[in-house]
Amino acid sequence: MAEAAVRNIVIVGGGTAGWMAAALLARFLDKRYTIHLVESEEIGTVGVGEATIPMLRFVNQALGFDEHDFVRATQGSFKLGIEFDGWLKPGHKYIHAFGAIGRGLGLTAFQHFWLRRQKDGDGRSLWNYSPCALAAYGNSFGPIEAAPGSPPSGFSWAYHFDAGLYAAYLRKFAEQQGVLRTEGKIVHVCLNGGTGNIASVRLDNDREVAGDFFLDCTGFRALLIGGVLQRDYEDWSHWLRCDRAVAVPCAGVTPILPYTRSTARKAGWQWRIPLQHRIGNGHVYCSAHLSDDEAAGTLLANLDGEALAEPRFLKFKTGMRQESWYKNCVAVGLASGFMEPLESTSIHLIQTAVDRFLKFLPGEGLCDADIAEYNRQNRFEWETIRDFLILHYHRNERDEPFWKECAQMPIPGRLQRKIELFEASGRIFREHEELFTEVGWLQVLLGQGVTPRAYHPLADNLDAAQFLEFMELAEKAAKLVAGKAIAHDEYLNRFCKAGS
Protein backbone atom coordinates (compact mmCIF):
# COMPACT_ATOMS: atom_id res chain seq x y z
CA MET A 1 0.00 0.00 0.00
CA ALA A 2 1.24 3.48 -0.76
CA GLU A 3 -0.64 5.74 1.61
CA ALA A 4 0.72 8.79 3.43
CA ALA A 5 2.09 8.57 6.97
CA VAL A 6 -0.42 8.21 9.77
CA ARG A 7 -0.41 11.43 11.79
CA ASN A 8 -4.05 12.33 12.45
CA ILE A 9 -5.86 9.72 14.59
CA VAL A 10 -9.61 10.01 15.11
CA ILE A 11 -11.31 8.14 17.96
CA VAL A 12 -15.01 7.65 17.29
CA GLY A 13 -16.93 7.23 20.54
CA GLY A 14 -16.20 8.10 24.16
CA GLY A 15 -16.86 6.12 27.33
CA THR A 16 -14.13 4.06 28.94
CA ALA A 17 -12.92 2.68 25.59
CA GLY A 18 -12.67 6.03 23.81
CA TRP A 19 -11.12 7.98 26.64
CA MET A 20 -8.68 5.24 27.64
CA ALA A 21 -7.53 5.12 24.02
CA ALA A 22 -7.21 8.90 23.96
CA ALA A 23 -5.27 9.02 27.23
CA LEU A 24 -2.81 6.30 26.21
CA LEU A 25 -2.22 7.71 22.73
CA ALA A 26 -1.67 11.17 24.19
CA ARG A 27 0.79 9.75 26.70
CA PHE A 28 2.89 7.78 24.25
CA LEU A 29 2.68 9.66 20.94
CA ASP A 30 4.70 12.81 20.35
CA LYS A 31 3.63 16.19 18.98
CA ARG A 32 3.74 14.97 15.38
CA TYR A 33 0.38 13.30 16.03
CA THR A 34 -3.06 14.84 16.39
CA ILE A 35 -5.59 12.90 18.46
CA HIS A 36 -9.22 13.86 17.94
CA LEU A 37 -12.14 12.23 19.77
CA VAL A 38 -15.68 12.52 18.44
CA GLU A 39 -18.61 11.64 20.68
CA SER A 40 -22.23 12.51 21.27
CA GLU A 41 -23.64 13.01 24.73
CA GLU A 42 -26.99 11.84 23.35
CA ILE A 43 -25.61 8.31 22.99
CA GLY A 44 -25.44 6.46 26.28
CA THR A 45 -22.72 4.04 27.33
CA VAL A 46 -23.13 0.49 28.60
CA GLY A 47 -21.24 1.39 31.77
CA VAL A 48 -21.68 -1.84 33.73
CA GLY A 49 -17.99 -2.75 33.90
CA GLU A 50 -16.92 -1.70 37.37
CA ALA A 51 -14.49 -4.47 38.33
CA THR A 52 -10.97 -4.89 37.00
CA ILE A 53 -7.92 -7.13 37.13
CA PRO A 54 -4.42 -6.15 38.31
CA MET A 55 -3.10 -5.17 34.86
CA LEU A 56 -5.07 -1.91 35.09
CA ARG A 57 -2.54 -0.76 37.68
CA PHE A 58 0.11 -0.69 34.96
CA VAL A 59 -2.08 1.56 32.77
CA ASN A 60 -2.67 3.95 35.64
CA GLN A 61 1.03 3.98 36.50
CA ALA A 62 1.96 4.61 32.86
CA LEU A 63 -0.42 7.58 32.84
CA GLY A 64 1.09 8.88 36.08
CA PHE A 65 -2.10 8.55 38.13
CA ASP A 66 -1.77 8.68 41.89
CA GLU A 67 -3.54 5.56 43.16
CA HIS A 68 -5.24 7.22 46.10
CA ASP A 69 -6.46 10.15 44.01
CA PHE A 70 -7.76 7.77 41.32
CA VAL A 71 -9.67 5.60 43.83
CA ARG A 72 -11.07 8.68 45.54
CA ALA A 73 -12.21 10.28 42.27
CA THR A 74 -13.93 7.13 41.02
CA GLN A 75 -15.65 6.24 44.34
CA GLY A 76 -13.55 3.11 44.15
CA SER A 77 -12.48 0.29 46.41
CA PHE A 78 -9.79 -2.38 46.22
CA LYS A 79 -10.17 -5.89 44.83
CA LEU A 80 -8.14 -8.97 45.78
CA GLY A 81 -10.03 -11.54 43.72
CA ILE A 82 -13.41 -12.92 42.69
CA GLU A 83 -15.46 -15.27 44.85
CA PHE A 84 -17.51 -17.90 43.00
CA ASP A 85 -20.53 -18.98 45.04
CA GLY A 86 -22.47 -22.05 43.90
CA TRP A 87 -20.70 -22.47 40.56
CA LEU A 88 -19.69 -26.08 41.16
CA LYS A 89 -22.85 -26.86 43.13
CA PRO A 90 -25.12 -25.06 45.62
CA GLY A 91 -23.37 -24.33 48.91
CA HIS A 92 -19.86 -24.63 47.45
CA LYS A 93 -17.59 -21.56 47.28
CA TYR A 94 -14.08 -20.77 46.16
CA ILE A 95 -12.11 -17.65 45.31
CA HIS A 96 -9.97 -16.81 42.29
CA ALA A 97 -7.49 -14.73 44.27
CA PHE A 98 -4.88 -12.48 42.73
CA GLY A 99 -1.18 -12.83 43.40
CA ALA A 100 0.82 -15.92 44.25
CA ILE A 101 -0.13 -19.14 45.99
CA GLY A 102 2.83 -20.65 47.82
CA ARG A 103 6.19 -20.87 46.06
CA GLY A 104 7.54 -23.50 43.75
CA LEU A 105 10.79 -25.31 44.45
CA GLY A 106 13.27 -25.54 41.62
CA LEU A 107 11.33 -26.40 38.48
CA THR A 108 8.37 -27.85 40.37
CA ALA A 109 5.25 -25.68 40.77
CA PHE A 110 3.72 -25.32 44.21
CA GLN A 111 0.47 -27.13 43.41
CA HIS A 112 2.35 -30.43 43.14
CA PHE A 113 3.56 -30.12 46.73
CA TRP A 114 0.03 -29.23 47.83
CA LEU A 115 -1.31 -32.26 45.94
CA ARG A 116 1.25 -34.46 47.72
CA ARG A 117 -0.04 -33.13 51.04
CA GLN A 118 -3.60 -33.88 49.98
CA LYS A 119 -2.61 -37.44 49.14
CA ASP A 120 -1.07 -37.71 52.63
CA GLY A 121 -4.53 -36.97 54.06
CA ASP A 122 -4.08 -33.29 54.95
CA GLY A 123 -7.27 -31.53 53.91
CA ARG A 124 -5.82 -28.03 54.18
CA SER A 125 -7.22 -25.63 51.58
CA LEU A 126 -5.04 -24.42 48.73
CA TRP A 127 -6.09 -20.89 49.67
CA ASN A 128 -4.34 -21.17 53.05
CA TYR A 129 -1.21 -20.42 51.02
CA SER A 130 -2.64 -17.36 49.24
CA PRO A 131 -1.99 -13.99 50.93
CA CYS A 132 -4.67 -12.30 48.82
CA ALA A 133 -7.31 -14.92 49.67
CA LEU A 134 -6.50 -14.64 53.38
CA ALA A 135 -6.66 -10.83 53.27
CA ALA A 136 -9.85 -10.86 51.20
CA TYR A 137 -11.69 -13.09 53.65
CA GLY A 138 -10.29 -11.01 56.50
CA ASN A 139 -11.85 -7.91 54.83
CA SER A 140 -8.44 -6.27 54.84
CA PHE A 141 -6.20 -4.49 52.37
CA GLY A 142 -2.82 -2.79 52.08
CA PRO A 143 -0.46 -2.19 49.13
CA ILE A 144 1.96 -4.79 50.44
CA GLU A 145 5.27 -4.85 48.61
CA ALA A 146 8.26 -7.01 49.45
CA ALA A 147 11.03 -5.51 51.56
CA PRO A 148 14.36 -4.97 49.75
CA GLY A 149 16.26 -8.24 49.51
CA SER A 150 13.20 -10.29 50.50
CA PRO A 151 11.26 -12.76 48.33
CA PRO A 152 8.24 -11.32 46.47
CA SER A 153 5.24 -10.70 48.71
CA GLY A 154 2.87 -12.53 46.38
CA PHE A 155 0.33 -9.76 46.97
CA SER A 156 -1.53 -8.17 44.06
CA TRP A 157 -4.68 -6.11 43.67
CA ALA A 158 -7.09 -4.42 41.30
CA TYR A 159 -10.04 -2.07 41.71
CA HIS A 160 -13.79 -1.66 41.78
CA PHE A 161 -14.91 1.74 40.53
CA ASP A 162 -17.67 3.73 38.86
CA ALA A 163 -16.97 3.31 35.12
CA GLY A 164 -18.54 6.67 34.26
CA LEU A 165 -16.31 8.45 36.76
CA TYR A 166 -13.26 6.62 35.43
CA ALA A 167 -14.08 7.72 31.87
CA ALA A 168 -14.33 11.30 33.14
CA TYR A 169 -10.99 10.93 34.93
CA LEU A 170 -9.36 9.68 31.72
CA ARG A 171 -10.99 12.46 29.71
CA LYS A 172 -9.62 15.15 32.01
CA PHE A 173 -6.11 13.73 31.62
CA ALA A 174 -6.41 13.31 27.85
CA GLU A 175 -7.65 16.84 27.25
CA GLN A 176 -4.85 18.21 29.42
CA GLN A 177 -2.45 16.37 27.10
CA GLY A 178 -3.92 18.09 24.05
CA VAL A 179 -6.56 15.62 22.84
CA LEU A 180 -9.24 17.44 20.84
CA ARG A 181 -12.91 16.65 21.46
CA THR A 182 -15.79 17.32 19.11
CA GLU A 183 -19.41 16.91 20.14
CA GLY A 184 -21.71 15.48 17.53
CA LYS A 185 -23.59 12.49 16.24
CA ILE A 186 -22.17 10.79 13.17
CA VAL A 187 -24.57 10.79 10.22
CA HIS A 188 -22.23 9.65 7.47
CA VAL A 189 -18.84 7.96 7.08
CA CYS A 190 -16.88 8.95 3.97
CA LEU A 191 -14.60 6.40 2.32
CA ASN A 192 -11.63 6.96 0.04
CA GLY A 193 -12.79 5.76 -3.38
CA GLY A 194 -9.35 4.47 -4.30
CA THR A 195 -8.25 2.60 -1.17
CA GLY A 196 -11.53 1.88 0.62
CA ASN A 197 -10.07 3.46 3.76
CA ILE A 198 -12.14 5.73 5.98
CA ALA A 199 -11.48 9.35 5.03
CA SER A 200 -13.73 11.27 7.43
CA VAL A 201 -16.87 11.24 9.53
CA ARG A 202 -19.68 13.78 9.02
CA LEU A 203 -21.64 14.96 12.06
CA ASP A 204 -25.23 16.09 12.53
CA ASN A 205 -24.00 19.66 13.08
CA ASP A 206 -22.53 19.68 9.54
CA ARG A 207 -18.98 19.37 10.81
CA GLU A 208 -16.64 16.90 9.14
CA VAL A 209 -13.69 15.33 10.95
CA ALA A 210 -11.01 13.84 8.70
CA GLY A 211 -8.26 11.46 9.76
CA ASP A 212 -5.51 9.13 8.62
CA PHE A 213 -6.53 6.41 11.07
CA PHE A 214 -9.72 5.68 13.04
CA LEU A 215 -10.37 3.83 16.30
CA ASP A 216 -13.92 2.49 16.52
CA CYS A 217 -15.07 2.91 20.13
CA THR A 218 -18.80 3.00 19.31
CA GLY A 219 -19.73 0.04 21.49
CA PHE A 220 -22.15 -2.64 20.34
CA ARG A 221 -23.11 -0.50 17.31
CA ALA A 222 -19.61 -1.02 15.86
CA LEU A 223 -20.43 1.85 13.52
CA LEU A 224 -17.16 1.76 11.59
CA ILE A 225 -15.80 -1.80 11.76
CA GLY A 226 -19.17 -3.51 11.44
CA GLY A 227 -21.49 -0.97 9.87
CA VAL A 228 -19.29 0.68 7.24
CA LEU A 229 -16.41 -1.78 6.78
CA GLN A 230 -18.72 -4.79 7.27
CA ARG A 231 -16.33 -7.06 9.13
CA ASP A 232 -18.11 -10.24 10.22
CA TYR A 233 -18.88 -11.08 13.83
CA GLU A 234 -18.00 -14.57 15.12
CA ASP A 235 -20.72 -15.92 17.39
CA TRP A 236 -19.59 -17.90 20.48
CA SER A 237 -23.02 -18.25 22.10
CA HIS A 238 -22.98 -22.04 21.57
CA TRP A 239 -20.29 -22.08 24.28
CA LEU A 240 -21.19 -19.03 26.37
CA ARG A 241 -24.96 -19.21 26.34
CA CYS A 242 -25.95 -16.21 28.39
CA ASP A 243 -27.29 -13.45 26.16
CA ARG A 244 -28.93 -10.97 28.53
CA ALA A 245 -28.04 -8.95 31.61
CA VAL A 246 -30.02 -6.76 33.96
CA ALA A 247 -28.17 -4.29 36.19
CA VAL A 248 -29.15 -2.15 39.16
CA PRO A 249 -27.17 -0.29 41.84
CA CYS A 250 -28.15 -0.57 45.48
CA ALA A 251 -27.27 1.17 48.71
CA GLY A 252 -23.93 0.16 50.16
CA VAL A 253 -23.36 -1.80 53.34
CA THR A 254 -20.34 -2.25 55.59
CA PRO A 255 -17.85 -3.71 55.56
CA ILE A 256 -16.91 -2.88 51.96
CA LEU A 257 -15.63 -6.27 50.84
CA PRO A 258 -12.27 -6.24 49.01
CA TYR A 259 -13.41 -8.72 46.38
CA THR A 260 -16.05 -9.20 43.71
CA ARG A 261 -18.70 -11.86 44.26
CA SER A 262 -20.21 -13.98 41.49
CA THR A 263 -23.18 -16.09 42.57
CA ALA A 264 -24.57 -18.83 40.34
CA ARG A 265 -28.31 -18.62 39.73
CA LYS A 266 -30.87 -20.84 37.98
CA ALA A 267 -29.80 -19.87 34.44
CA GLY A 268 -26.79 -17.62 34.85
CA TRP A 269 -25.09 -15.67 37.61
CA GLN A 270 -25.26 -12.49 39.67
CA TRP A 271 -22.42 -10.03 40.21
CA ARG A 272 -21.80 -7.92 43.29
CA ILE A 273 -19.25 -5.09 43.08
CA PRO A 274 -18.84 -2.94 46.22
CA LEU A 275 -17.95 0.73 45.76
CA GLN A 276 -17.69 3.46 48.37
CA HIS A 277 -21.06 5.05 47.55
CA ARG A 278 -23.06 2.03 46.40
CA ILE A 279 -22.95 -1.61 45.32
CA GLY A 280 -23.08 -2.47 41.64
CA ASN A 281 -25.26 -5.51 40.94
CA GLY A 282 -26.26 -7.41 37.86
CA HIS A 283 -27.74 -10.69 36.70
CA VAL A 284 -26.30 -12.30 33.56
CA TYR A 285 -28.66 -14.95 32.19
CA CYS A 286 -29.74 -17.11 29.26
CA SER A 287 -33.04 -15.94 27.77
CA ALA A 288 -33.82 -19.47 26.54
CA HIS A 289 -34.15 -20.54 30.19
CA LEU A 290 -35.24 -17.37 31.99
CA SER A 291 -37.61 -14.49 31.24
CA ASP A 292 -36.58 -10.87 31.70
CA ASP A 293 -39.14 -10.46 34.50
CA GLU A 294 -37.86 -13.50 36.35
CA ALA A 295 -34.26 -12.36 35.94
CA ALA A 296 -35.04 -8.91 37.32
CA GLY A 297 -37.06 -10.43 40.17
CA THR A 298 -34.15 -12.70 41.14
CA LEU A 299 -31.74 -9.78 41.09
CA LEU A 300 -33.95 -7.45 43.15
CA ALA A 301 -34.63 -10.20 45.69
CA ASN A 302 -30.91 -10.67 46.29
CA LEU A 303 -29.64 -7.14 46.90
CA ASP A 304 -27.84 -6.09 50.08
CA GLY A 305 -29.55 -2.73 50.24
CA GLU A 306 -32.31 -0.60 48.72
CA ALA A 307 -32.30 -0.42 44.91
CA LEU A 308 -31.18 3.06 43.79
CA ALA A 309 -32.55 2.94 40.23
CA GLU A 310 -34.81 0.97 37.94
CA PRO A 311 -33.31 -2.23 36.54
CA ARG A 312 -31.58 -1.68 33.18
CA PHE A 313 -31.58 -4.47 30.59
CA LEU A 314 -28.86 -5.30 28.10
CA LYS A 315 -28.86 -7.76 25.18
CA PHE A 316 -25.62 -9.18 23.85
CA LYS A 317 -24.12 -11.97 21.77
CA THR A 318 -20.82 -13.34 23.01
CA GLY A 319 -18.16 -13.39 20.33
CA MET A 320 -15.59 -11.29 18.50
CA ARG A 321 -15.06 -9.38 15.29
CA GLN A 322 -13.20 -11.67 12.89
CA GLU A 323 -10.91 -8.78 11.98
CA SER A 324 -10.54 -6.08 14.62
CA TRP A 325 -8.10 -4.21 12.37
CA TYR A 326 -9.25 -3.67 8.80
CA LYS A 327 -8.04 -0.99 6.40
CA ASN A 328 -7.29 2.10 8.52
CA CYS A 329 -9.59 1.19 11.41
CA VAL A 330 -9.08 -0.71 14.68
CA ALA A 331 -12.07 -1.67 16.82
CA VAL A 332 -11.61 -1.14 20.57
CA GLY A 333 -13.86 -2.31 23.37
CA LEU A 334 -17.36 -3.57 22.62
CA ALA A 335 -16.98 -2.74 18.93
CA SER A 336 -14.42 -5.55 18.73
CA GLY A 337 -16.49 -8.13 20.59
CA PHE A 338 -18.11 -9.03 23.88
CA MET A 339 -17.46 -11.47 26.69
CA GLU A 340 -19.51 -11.38 29.84
CA PRO A 341 -17.77 -9.77 32.85
CA LEU A 342 -17.31 -13.07 34.68
CA GLU A 343 -13.56 -12.53 35.16
CA SER A 344 -13.59 -8.72 34.81
CA THR A 345 -11.79 -8.70 31.46
CA SER A 346 -13.75 -6.01 29.58
CA ILE A 347 -11.58 -3.03 30.51
CA HIS A 348 -8.45 -5.16 30.18
CA LEU A 349 -9.35 -5.91 26.55
CA ILE A 350 -9.60 -2.17 25.90
CA GLN A 351 -6.13 -1.50 27.28
CA THR A 352 -4.53 -4.39 25.40
CA ALA A 353 -6.16 -3.33 22.11
CA VAL A 354 -4.67 0.14 22.48
CA ASP A 355 -1.32 -1.22 23.64
CA ARG A 356 -1.22 -3.57 20.66
CA PHE A 357 -2.13 -0.75 18.28
CA LEU A 358 0.77 1.30 19.65
CA LYS A 359 3.13 -1.64 19.10
CA PHE A 360 1.97 -1.88 15.47
CA LEU A 361 1.62 1.89 14.99
CA PRO A 362 1.72 2.54 11.23
CA GLY A 363 4.66 4.58 9.94
CA GLU A 364 4.71 5.53 6.28
CA GLY A 365 1.38 3.98 5.36
CA LEU A 366 -0.25 0.73 6.36
CA CYS A 367 1.45 -2.67 6.30
CA ASP A 368 -0.50 -5.86 5.52
CA ALA A 369 1.89 -8.00 7.59
CA ASP A 370 1.41 -5.76 10.65
CA ILE A 371 -2.37 -5.88 10.30
CA ALA A 372 -2.38 -9.67 10.00
CA GLU A 373 -0.16 -10.07 13.06
CA TYR A 374 -2.28 -7.65 15.10
CA ASN A 375 -5.37 -9.68 14.26
CA ARG A 376 -3.60 -12.97 15.03
CA GLN A 377 -2.48 -11.77 18.47
CA ASN A 378 -5.88 -10.26 19.16
CA ARG A 379 -7.63 -13.53 18.30
CA PHE A 380 -5.29 -15.54 20.54
CA GLU A 381 -6.02 -13.28 23.49
CA TRP A 382 -9.78 -13.38 22.97
CA GLU A 383 -9.90 -17.14 22.46
CA THR A 384 -7.82 -17.96 25.54
CA ILE A 385 -9.99 -15.71 27.71
CA ARG A 386 -13.09 -17.30 26.15
CA ASP A 387 -11.80 -20.78 27.08
CA PHE A 388 -11.18 -19.69 30.67
CA LEU A 389 -14.79 -18.48 30.94
CA ILE A 390 -16.15 -21.68 29.38
CA LEU A 391 -14.36 -23.70 32.08
CA HIS A 392 -16.49 -22.06 34.78
CA TYR A 393 -19.70 -23.17 33.07
CA HIS A 394 -18.67 -26.55 31.70
CA ARG A 395 -17.33 -28.19 34.86
CA ASN A 396 -20.34 -27.97 37.13
CA GLU A 397 -22.49 -30.40 39.11
CA ARG A 398 -25.70 -28.38 39.27
CA ASP A 399 -29.14 -29.81 38.46
CA GLU A 400 -30.88 -27.04 36.52
CA PRO A 401 -31.44 -27.52 32.74
CA PHE A 402 -29.20 -24.57 31.82
CA TRP A 403 -26.29 -25.89 33.83
CA LYS A 404 -26.77 -29.46 32.59
CA GLU A 405 -26.57 -28.20 29.01
CA CYS A 406 -23.33 -26.39 29.83
CA ALA A 407 -21.86 -29.53 31.40
CA GLN A 408 -22.74 -31.65 28.37
CA MET A 409 -21.70 -29.27 25.57
CA PRO A 410 -18.63 -29.92 23.41
CA ILE A 411 -15.83 -27.48 24.26
CA PRO A 412 -12.88 -26.05 22.30
CA GLY A 413 -9.99 -28.47 21.82
CA ARG A 414 -7.41 -26.23 23.53
CA LEU A 415 -9.54 -26.12 26.68
CA GLN A 416 -10.22 -29.86 26.59
CA ARG A 417 -6.49 -30.57 26.43
CA LYS A 418 -5.84 -28.21 29.35
CA ILE A 419 -8.43 -29.97 31.52
CA GLU A 420 -7.19 -33.44 30.58
CA LEU A 421 -3.57 -32.52 31.34
CA PHE A 422 -4.42 -31.14 34.76
CA GLU A 423 -6.71 -34.03 35.58
CA ALA A 424 -4.00 -36.54 34.67
CA SER A 425 -0.96 -35.00 36.34
CA GLY A 426 -1.70 -31.64 37.96
CA ARG A 427 0.29 -29.87 35.25
CA ILE A 428 -0.66 -26.43 33.89
CA PHE A 429 1.22 -24.57 31.20
CA ARG A 430 0.66 -20.97 30.23
CA GLU A 431 0.68 -20.71 26.46
CA HIS A 432 2.60 -17.78 25.00
CA GLU A 433 1.16 -14.54 26.44
CA GLU A 434 -2.31 -15.71 27.41
CA LEU A 435 -3.86 -13.48 30.06
CA PHE A 436 -4.56 -15.93 32.86
CA THR A 437 -1.55 -17.44 34.58
CA GLU A 438 -1.03 -20.96 35.87
CA VAL A 439 -2.18 -19.79 39.32
CA GLY A 440 -5.46 -18.48 37.90
CA TRP A 441 -6.15 -21.70 36.01
CA LEU A 442 -5.22 -23.73 39.10
CA GLN A 443 -7.82 -22.04 41.29
CA VAL A 444 -10.67 -22.30 38.80
CA LEU A 445 -9.85 -25.90 37.81
CA LEU A 446 -9.85 -26.98 41.45
CA GLY A 447 -12.79 -24.76 42.30
CA GLN A 448 -14.85 -26.32 39.52
CA GLY A 449 -14.11 -29.81 40.76
CA VAL A 450 -11.28 -30.91 38.45
CA THR A 451 -9.12 -33.15 40.66
CA PRO A 452 -5.69 -34.39 39.48
CA ARG A 453 -5.01 -38.10 39.69
CA ALA A 454 -1.27 -37.57 40.19
CA TYR A 455 1.37 -34.92 40.82
CA HIS A 456 4.90 -34.26 39.59
CA PRO A 457 7.33 -36.94 40.84
CA LEU A 458 9.89 -34.30 41.87
CA ALA A 459 7.49 -33.24 44.64
CA ASP A 460 8.61 -36.44 46.38
CA ASN A 461 12.27 -35.33 46.46
CA LEU A 462 11.82 -33.87 49.94
CA ASP A 463 11.80 -36.33 52.81
CA ALA A 464 8.91 -36.19 55.28
CA ALA A 465 10.55 -33.69 57.65
CA GLN A 466 11.76 -31.41 54.86
CA PHE A 467 8.36 -31.54 53.20
CA LEU A 468 6.50 -30.63 56.38
CA GLU A 469 8.85 -27.71 57.02
CA PHE A 470 8.49 -26.50 53.41
CA MET A 471 4.70 -26.52 53.57
CA GLU A 472 4.54 -24.91 57.02
CA LEU A 473 6.87 -22.13 55.90
CA ALA A 474 4.68 -21.51 52.84
CA GLU A 475 1.58 -21.22 55.01
CA LYS A 476 3.30 -18.95 57.53
CA ALA A 477 4.59 -16.71 54.73
CA ALA A 478 1.07 -16.22 53.34
CA LYS A 479 -0.30 -15.42 56.80
CA LEU A 480 2.56 -13.01 57.47
CA VAL A 481 1.91 -11.04 54.27
CA ALA A 482 -1.87 -10.98 54.78
CA GLY A 483 -1.34 -9.94 58.39
CA LYS A 484 0.29 -6.70 57.23
CA ALA A 485 -3.00 -5.51 55.76
CA ILE A 486 -5.46 -3.39 57.71
CA ALA A 487 -9.26 -3.31 57.56
CA HIS A 488 -10.32 -2.39 54.02
CA ASP A 489 -12.80 0.25 55.26
CA GLU A 490 -10.10 1.77 57.45
CA TYR A 491 -7.68 1.92 54.52
CA LEU A 492 -10.27 3.65 52.32
CA ASN A 493 -11.20 6.13 55.05
CA ARG A 494 -7.58 6.92 55.80
CA PHE A 495 -6.22 7.29 52.27
CA CYS A 496 -8.92 7.32 49.58
CA LYS A 497 -12.21 8.47 51.06
CA ALA A 498 -14.43 9.88 48.33
CA GLY A 499 -16.53 13.00 48.81
CA SER A 500 -20.23 12.61 49.36
Side-chain angles (χ1 to χ4, degrees):
M1 300 181 185
E3 294 105 359
V6 170
R7 292 291 181 266
N8 185 8
I9 299 173
V10 178
I11 300 167
V12 179
T16 305
W19 285 111
M20 178 176 281
L24 287 169
L25 294 183
R27 167 68 180 81
F28 290 106
L29 298 183
D30 59 36
K31 298 304 180 184
R32 294 175 297 164
Y33 294 87
T34 299
I35 304 161
H36 199 149
L37 186 143
V38 178
E39 67 174 339
S40 170
E41 292 183 353
E42 292 179 24
I43 299 174
T45 58
V46 173
V48 297
E50 296 172 328
T52 63
I53 55 179
M55 274 61 77
L56 185 67
R57 290 171 53 206
F58 303 127
V59 171
N60 285 353
Q61 288 167 6
L63 295 174
F65 293 167
D66 175 80
E67 184 171 68
H68 292 165
D69 182 68
F70 151 72
V71 172
R72 189 181 305 116
T74 58
Q75 295 274 2
S77 65
F78 292 90
K79 174 181 173 180
L80 297 174
I82 307 170
E83 180 187 69
F84 292 95
D85 184 348
W87 277 78
L88 175 61
K89 56 189 175 184
H92 178 272
K93 292 182 183 180
Y94 69 94
I95 188 169
H96 174 189
F98 299 143
I101 296 183
R103 292 194 188 101
L105 186 61
L107 298 177
T108 309
F110 179 76
Q111 75 258 20
H112 297 286
F113 296 100
W114 178 78
L115 289 168
R116 173 182 167 180
R117 198 167 200 187
Q118 295 290 296
K119 187 180 178 182
D120 291 345
D122 189 305
R124 214 160 307 201
S125 166
L126 175 76
W127 289 274
N128 281 19
Y129 306 92
S130 164
C132 281
L134 295 173
Y137 283 136
N139 293 329
S140 56
F141 175 76
I144 301 164
E145 304 285 1
S150 300
S153 70
F155 205 78
S156 185
W157 63 93
Y159 312 102
H160 305 120
F161 54 66
D162 183 308
L165 294 176
Y166 185 48
Y169 197 79
L170 290 165
R171 174 181 172 178
K172 181 180 178 181
F173 171 85
E175 291 186 318
Q176 288 173 345
Q177 302 303 309
V179 172
L180 306 174
R181 177 190 179 276
T182 295
E183 167 69 28
K185 203 171 188 178
I186 294 172
V187 295
H188 184 67
V189 178
C190 307
L191 299 181
N192 181 306
T195 63
N197 289 342
I198 299 171
S200 64
V201 292
R202 192 172 301 139
L203 311 181
D204 57 358
N205 53 18
D206 292 329
R207 287 199 60 179
E208 190 164 332
V209 179
D212 304 316
F213 203 96
F214 292 78
L215 299 188
D216 186 346
C217 300
T218 60
F220 285 128
R221 292 177 301 140
L223 178 64
L224 304 183
I225 199 75
V228 175
L229 298 178
Q230 298 186 336
R231 294 303 91 196
D232 289 338
Y233 190 84
E234 191 171 306
D235 184 355
W236 290 342
S237 57
H238 52 293
W239 287 313
L240 294 165
R241 302 180 176 211
C242 291
D243 59 353
R244 300 282 192 279
V246 54
V248 66
C250 76
V253 296
T254 55
I256 301 174
L257 301 182
Y259 55 92
T260 307
R261 177 176 291 145
S262 170
T263 304
R265 299 296 183 200
K266 172 184 172 182
W269 59 281
Q270 180 175 332
W271 77 71
R272 181 190 188 277
I273 300 172
L275 312 181
Q276 291 191 45
H277 61 316
R278 61 176 170 83
I279 298 172
N281 308 276
H283 185 184
V284 176
Y285 59 100
C286 176
S287 63
H289 290 275
L290 202 68
S291 71
D292 291 348
D293 287 345
E294 190 176 359
T298 297
L299 177 62
L300 292 170
N302 289 282
L303 301 179
D304 289 288
E306 178 187 358
L308 301 178
E310 290 298 312
R312 188 158 61 96
F313 289 88
L314 176 71
K315 295 181 180 180
F316 58 84
K317 181 187 291 184
T318 301
M320 67 173 289
R321 200 67 53 183
Q322 288 189 351
E323 295 169 279
S324 284
W325 183 343
Y326 182 71
K327 299 288 186 181
N328 65 335
C329 176
V330 164
V332 177
L334 297 176
S336 64
F338 179 83
M339 284 188 282
E340 60 193 73
L342 182 58
E343 285 281 354
S344 308
T345 53
S346 299
I347 291 175
H348 173 78
L349 286 167
I350 294 170
Q351 74 186 66
T352 56
V354 180
D355 174 72
R356 193 173 294 119
F357 170 66
L358 284 167
K359 288 175 180 173
F360 287 95
L361 183 70
E364 300 300 317
L366 303 176
C367 171
D368 289 339
D370 284 349
I371 295 171
E373 181 60 16
Y374 177 99
N375 285 324
R376 187 197 68 80
Q377 291 185 17
N378 185 70
R379 171 169 289 277
F380 177 81
E381 178 173 47
W382 277 75
E383 286 182 349
T384 51
I385 292 173
R386 174 202 68 191
D387 290 356
F388 194 60
L389 301 189
I390 293 171
L391 170 62
H392 296 65
Y393 284 102
H394 180 60
R395 293 300 294 242
N396 80 83
E397 300 171 9
R398 297 181 65 95
D399 261 341
E400 299 94 335
F402 167 79
W403 291 98
K404 286 183 175 181
E405 285 181 11
C406 292
Q408 294 163 6
M409 68 184 176
I411 60 175
R414 182 193 285 125
L415 174 60
Q416 185 64 44
R417 290 189 295 273
K418 213 154 198 155
I419 293 172
E420 289 173 355
L421 181 66
F422 183 72
E423 209 158 24
S425 61
R427 291 180 173 89
I428 306 168
F429 294 98
R430 186 183 186 187
E431 189 175 351
H432 305 306
E433 295 183 357
E434 66 176 295
L435 171 60
F436 292 104
T437 66
E438 295 90 340
V439 175
W441 280 95
L442 171 65
Q443 294 176 82
V444 177
L445 283 162
L446 289 172
Q448 294 299 140
V450 184
T451 304
R453 296 187 295 273
Y455 55 82
H456 199 294
L458 291 182
D460 286 326
N461 278 5
L462 300 176
D463 65 31
Q466 291 171 328
F467 177 65
L468 181 61
E469 181 183 20
F470 174 74
M471 295 301 289
E472 287 181 347
L473 285 173
E475 191 168 7
K476 286 178 182 177
K479 288 179 180 177
L480 180 65
V481 171
K484 295 178 181 179
I486 63 173
H488 184 219
D489 289 46
E490 180 185 345
Y491 188 91
L492 292 171
N493 288 332
R494 190 186 298 180
F495 301 108
C496 323
K497 186 171 179 59
S500 56

